[in-house]
Amino acid sequence: MVPPESLPALPPVFDYAGVTIFALTGALAAARDRQDIITFWFFAVVTGVGGGTLRDLLIGAPVFWIGDATYLGIGLAASLAVWFLAPYLERAKTLIWLDALGLAAYAVIGAGIALALGVDPLISVAMCVLTACFGGVIRDVLAGQPSALLKREITISAALLAAAGYVALFSSGLQPLWAGIAGGVAGFGLRAGAIHYGWALPAFGAKRGKA
């Protein structure tokens, strides 16, 4: 078995990108509720770092953003961008598409970090599905909106596909970068199909209800 310390993690830029995507969704949620700029920043930071914070607490690692003020800067930049561009972004339904992208990206990022710290591959997948969804849950709770996880949409399944795809490809010998891209694209593609085509898993009792 390969020692945990010798396992390469995904490049740090992936983590910054994942936080940026979720920070934008947090700021967009604040814009939808017509909040002030400080609340924009708060929503952006909490949504951006929420999933990664849970990930690090579960792994027992130092919380990633405590020693790096860059993440606060990312939240501020996302807030300012949305503050000036919100009308255009809202018309393009940017929130739901960024959420889909962030879900897939965070599942892959979390899996890469967990594997690099020696977490069992199967546990890494399960944990990273949880953390990929957590930022969006925090955002929806703060905004007083029903979470996408409670709707009959393919959401958790997309995070599962992204994380499992990365772990499987990495374990088979593919470089972390390419495994991450492949896993992320697969997870985003599944979520995008659910958004565009209305894909959903069968609901309990659906057939019996029609009988």
Side-chain angles (χ1 to χ4, degrees), residues 135-166:
V137 170
I138 293 176
R139 178 198 64 226
D140 295 337
V141 168
L142 288 174
Q145 297 291 325
S147 173
L149 301 182
L150 300 180
K151 301 175 183 177
R152 281 201 58 240
E153 297 179 1
I154 292 177
T155 303
I156 298 174
S157 302
L160 178 62
L161 178 61
Y166 171 78

Side-chain angles (χ1 to χ4, degrees), residues 18-40:
V19 170
T20 300
I21 294 167
F22 267 128
L24 287 168
T25 73
L28 279 167
R32 185 175 54 196
D33 291 345
R34 302 294 182 259
Q35 301 288 353
D36 59 64
I37 188 62
I38 299 300
T39 306
F40 270 52

Side-chain angles (χ1 to χ4, degrees), residues 89-176:
L89 297 176
E90 288 173 341
R91 283 199 294 269
K93 297 183 178 179
T94 307
L95 176 58
I96 192 170
W97 287 106
L98 280 176
D99 191 55
L101 185 59
L103 186 78
Y106 235 113
V108 169
I109 293 164
I113 291 174
L115 287 178
L117 292 174
V119 177
D120 178 83
L122 184 59
I123 299 299
S124 296
V125 171
M127 182 190 66
C128 293
V129 170
L130 176 64
T131 59
C133 299
F134 193 65
V137 170
I138 293 176
R139 178 198 64 226
D140 295 337
V141 168
L142 288 174
Q145 297 291 325
S147 173
L149 301 182
L150 300 180
K151 301 175 183 177
R152 281 201 58 240
E153 297 179 1
I154 292 177
T155 303
I156 298 174
S157 302
L160 178 62
L161 178 61
Y166 171 78
V167 170
L169 291 172
F170 175 73
S171 299
S172 68
L174 194 63
Q175 290 295 316

